[in-house]
């Protein structure tokens, strides 16, 4: 968890740097991973102009060869254009992020008119295919959902299971981790194209995934009018989560609200967990702690989170597990020193509202940070974090993420947990 969150922040800083470079990047180093070698009158099939996702949707006689990373189009149902078509596609959503794209394989999408150049059909499939990469930032819990799982849900839900997934840059552990979700979205075996020597033929294919926004779905953009409400219901069904709604204090007589504290081991840890737990218990919470990691079953994590009414933790990928909270539950995000408030809200605060959750945040004071014992109050690291930002991602990561822990002022934080109790008393704003 401590390692994976660094990638989450890295993507943000890479995006900032790319914005200033975009206008001066030459053709050999361009971030858009699409190249056209065709005349201007050819009808495009790949959405190279989309700001985030690399995505192609192609109908016709589609032939896929994994060992050469090639997709050939023999005929087009959408209308056969004149001339040849050629794109180079990296099937991952973070196309403007060089760090992510360096970890994604190129795929060639070409039209073929010469029968002697047709790829062989070793296996003929009757259902559409979706090809996507498990490279990029996979392995970071936030990006696993934001870049892969949610976009895959958006892209494949329309097929009601009658679609086959093709993966490149395969990570077997990723398939294992998300096998429950993958089985719900497709009734067919996943094909690892990196190690497959067969030629596969399909009536249509989507290359890449549809992406809307960080950890979310923009319903007006969705072909099927999908929303995060639909996605969270899908997760409840997948993992047999029993609770749809958080506790309403007063209605559920005799029940205590459950508080889940997401803990960390190597960085951004709570150094006074005992005091935090005792204070929360004195307010009437049943306190649960969890440290999800790559070896933890996602199903067991989902069950624990769904059993709770309030989830709190220091900003990091572990907060992504709010996806499994019941409706009207509360997320409390604790913001460490480092002037990352806007970023933190964008990754978790705004998505929480779309998930029918209530969002609270607690910004620590200097004395609550372990950095206060390492640097005097006038030091630039304490006094002017934005000057550290100007030194680049490595400086920010090393200073504020890898080397900072938090000792919560339990008296001050008590008011935030009391506010959460008030919200649990109130009538839900959501249906």
């Amino acid at each position: 968890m401590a390692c994976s969150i660094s990638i989450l922040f890295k993507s943000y800083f890479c995006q900032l740097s790319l914005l200033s470079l975009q206008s001066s990047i030459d053709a050999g180093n361009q971030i858009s991973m699409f190249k056209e070698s065709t005349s201007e009158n050819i009808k495009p099939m790949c959405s190279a102009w989309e700001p985030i996702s690399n995505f192609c949707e192609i109908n016709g006689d589609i032939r896929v060869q994994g060992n050469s990373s090639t997709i050939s189009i023999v005929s087009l149902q959408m209308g056969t254009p004149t001339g040849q078509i050629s794109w180079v596609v990296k099937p991952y959503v973070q196309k403007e992020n060089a760090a992510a794209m360096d970890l994604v394989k190129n795929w060639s999408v070409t039209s073929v008119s010469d029968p002697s150049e047709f790829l062989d059909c070793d296996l003929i499939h009757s259902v559409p295919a979706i090809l996507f990469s498990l490279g990029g930032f996979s392995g970071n819990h936030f990006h696993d959902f934001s870049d892969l799982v949610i976009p895959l849900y958006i892209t494949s839900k329309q097929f009601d299971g009658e679609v086959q997934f093709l993966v490149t840059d395969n990570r077997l552990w990723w398939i294992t981790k998300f096998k429950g979700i993958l089985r719900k979205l497709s009734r067919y075996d996943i094909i690892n194209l990196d190690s497959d020597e067969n030629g596969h033929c399909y009536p249509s294919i989507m290359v890449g995934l549809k992406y809307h926004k960080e950890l979310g779905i923009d319903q007006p953009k969705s072909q099927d009018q999908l929303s995060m409400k639909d996605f969270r219901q899908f997760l409840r069904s997948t993992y047999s989560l029993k609770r749809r709604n958080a506790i309403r204090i007063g209605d559920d007589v005799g029940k205590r609200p459950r508080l889940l504290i997401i803990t960390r081991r190597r960085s951004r840890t709570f150094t006074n967990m005992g005091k935090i737990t005792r204070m929360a218990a004195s307010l009437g919470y049943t306190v649960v702690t969890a440290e999800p990691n790559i070896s933890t079953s996602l199903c067991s994590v989902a069950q624990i989170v769904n059993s709770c009414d309030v989830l709190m933790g220091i900003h990091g990928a572990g907060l992504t597990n709010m996806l499994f909270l019941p409706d009207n539950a509360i997320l409390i995000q604790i913001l460490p020193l480092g002037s990352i408030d806007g970023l933190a809200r964008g990754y978790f605060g705004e998505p929480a509202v779309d998930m029918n959750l209530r969002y609270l945040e607690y910004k620590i004071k200097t004395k609550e940070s372990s950095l206060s014992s390492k640097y005097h109050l006038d030091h630039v690291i304490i006094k002017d974090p934005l000057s550290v930002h100007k030194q680049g991602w490595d400086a920010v990561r090393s200073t504020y993420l890898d080397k900072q822990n938090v000792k919560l002022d339990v008296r001050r934080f008590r008011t935030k947990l009391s506010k959460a109790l008030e919200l649990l008393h109130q009538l839900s704003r959501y249906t």
Side-chain angles (χ1 to χ4, degrees):
M1 291 291 294
C3 294
S4 64
I5 187 60
S6 68
I7 300 178
L8 185 152
F9 281 89
K10 188 169 184 180
S11 68
Y12 169 70
F13 284 93
C14 288
Q15 289 173 25
L16 289 180
S17 62
L18 287 174
L19 288 174
S20 61
L21 292 173
Q22 192 71 36
S23 61
S24 61
I25 293 177
D26 61 30
N29 295 316
Q30 62 184 351
I31 303 303
S32 162
M33 301 295 166
F34 288 85
K35 297 185 290 183
E36 293 190 32
S37 60
T38 63
S39 59
E40 294 183 359
N41 64 346
I42 291 180
K43 184 177 181 180
M45 295 172 296
C46 296
S47 302
W49 53 86
E50 290 289 339
I52 297 293
S53 60
N54 290 330
F55 181 75
C56 300
E57 184 170 4
I58 313 165
N59 296 308
D61 185 348
I62 312 300
R63 307 188 179 194
V64 182
Q65 187 70 53
N67 56 16
S68 62
S69 302
T70 300
I71 300 170
S72 292
I73 311 160
V74 175
S75 65
L76 297 176
Q77 293 179 357
M78 64 178 66
T80 304
T82 58
Q84 293 297 306
I85 297 173
S86 178
W87 287 273
V88 175
V89 186
K90 285 179 177 280
Y92 189 79
V93 302
Q94 296 277 357
K95 76 174 186 181
E96 82 293 355
N97 193 306
M101 291 296 101
D102 284 345
L103 303 173
V104 179
K105 184 180 294 183
N106 283 327
W107 278 77
S108 173
V109 180
T110 61
S111 63
V112 180
S113 56
D114 185 349
S116 66
E117 297 179 359
F118 291 172
L119 295 175
D120 292 335
C121 287
D122 298 310
L123 294 170
I124 300 176
H125 307 270
S126 61
V127 297
I130 298 175
L131 190 160
F132 59 97
S133 170
L134 293 180
F137 294 145
S138 67
N140 172 283
H141 196 53
F142 174 86
H143 286 289
D144 282 340
F145 275 97
S146 188
D147 297 357
L148 288 165
V149 174
I150 295 176
L152 184 60
Y153 173 80
I154 296 170
T155 308
S156 65
K157 194 67 172 66
Q158 62 182 299
F159 298 109
D160 194 27
E162 290 299 312
V163 64
Q164 185 160 46
F165 296 150
L166 313 178
V167 298
T168 184
D169 306 304
N170 187 38
R171 308 285 188 271
L172 182 58
W173 58 263
W174 197 97
I175 300 292
T176 301
K177 177 179 178 179
F178 293 102
K179 62 183 178 181
I181 289 173
L182 296 169
R183 287 172 179 170
K184 275 276 190 177
L185 292 175
S186 171
R187 298 186 180 94
Y188 299 85
D189 292 338
I190 297 171
I191 296 177
N192 173 16
L193 292 175
D194 297 339
S195 61
D196 190 279
E197 297 182 355
N198 292 313
H200 296 269
C201 294
Y202 292 93
S204 65
I205 189 170
M206 293 180 176
V207 184
L209 302 173
K210 296 179 181 179
Y211 177 93
H212 293 172
K213 58 183 179 179
E214 299 283 11
L215 206 64
I217 298 174
D218 188 348
Q219 190 169 15
K221 288 184 179 180
S222 172
Q223 178 178 333
D224 301 311
Q225 290 295 297
L226 298 172
S227 66
M228 283 304 290
K229 179 180 179 180
D230 298 316
F231 179 69
R232 279 169 35 85
Q233 181 56 42
F234 167 78
L235 290 179
R236 291 186 190 110
S237 173
T238 299
Y239 294 111
S240 301
L241 305 181
K242 297 179 180 179
R243 300 181 72 214
R244 182 180 180 86
N245 296 293
I247 189 174
R248 286 176 55 185
I249 299 174
D251 291 351
D252 297 319
V253 180
K255 291 186 178 180
R256 292 160 60 97
R258 288 170 60 86
L259 168 67
L260 173 60
I261 304 176
I262 298 293
T263 60
R264 301 172 60 92
R265 186 171 298 179
R266 297 182 181 177
S267 67
R268 281 163 286 147
T269 64
F270 291 114
T271 60
N272 59 337
M273 272 294 297
K275 288 186 176 180
I276 297 170
T277 300
R278 288 192 294 273
M279 180 271 290
S282 72
L283 288 173
Y285 287 101
T286 296
V287 182
V288 181
T289 62
E291 184 185 354
N293 55 57
I294 197 169
S295 62
T296 307
S297 161
L298 189 57
C299 183
S300 64
V301 171
Q303 295 284 345
I304 292 171
V305 175
N306 184 252
S307 73
C308 295
D309 307 288
V310 180
L311 184 152
M312 63 169 276
I314 302 171
H315 176 72
L319 298 185
T320 308
N321 291 304
M322 67 181 179
L323 283 161
F324 304 115
L325 284 170
D327 286 350
N328 297 321
I330 299 163
L331 171 69
I332 305 176
Q333 179 172 208
I334 294 160
L335 307 178
L337 291 187
S339 294
I340 61 166
D341 306 15
L343 172 65
R345 292 180 193 121
Y347 277 129
F348 298 111
E350 294 169 11
V353 175
D354 288 342
M355 296 179 198
N356 284 359
L357 304 176
R358 271 79 68 86
Y359 174 70
L360 300 173
E361 65 183 33
Y362 176 87
K363 187 173 182 179
I364 71 167
K365 292 187 177 295
T366 301
K367 67 177 183 178
E368 295 173 89
S369 170
S370 61
L371 297 177
S372 65
S373 63
K374 298 179 181 179
Y375 304 98
H376 57 76
L377 296 181
D378 290 331
H379 195 284
V380 65
I381 287 175
I382 302 295
K383 191 175 182 180
D384 188 17
L386 290 179
S387 66
V388 180
H389 283 235
K390 294 177 182 178
Q391 299 173 32
W393 157 247
D394 288 340
V396 174
R397 178 189 62 190
S398 176
T399 303
Y400 298 113
L401 305 182
D402 296 343
K403 298 177 182 177
Q404 181 175 193
N405 295 318
V406 172
K407 183 179 181 180
L408 279 184
D409 180 338
V410 292
R411 288 187 178 180
R412 180 168 171 255
F413 187 69
R414 184 185 181 94
T415 61
K416 197 64 64 175
L417 287 182
S418 295
K419 177 63 176 178
L421 286 176
E422 291 177 16
L423 292 174
L424 291 174
H425 272 96
Q426 294 173 4
L427 259 179
S428 169
R429 291 178 295 143
Y430 307 101
T431 57

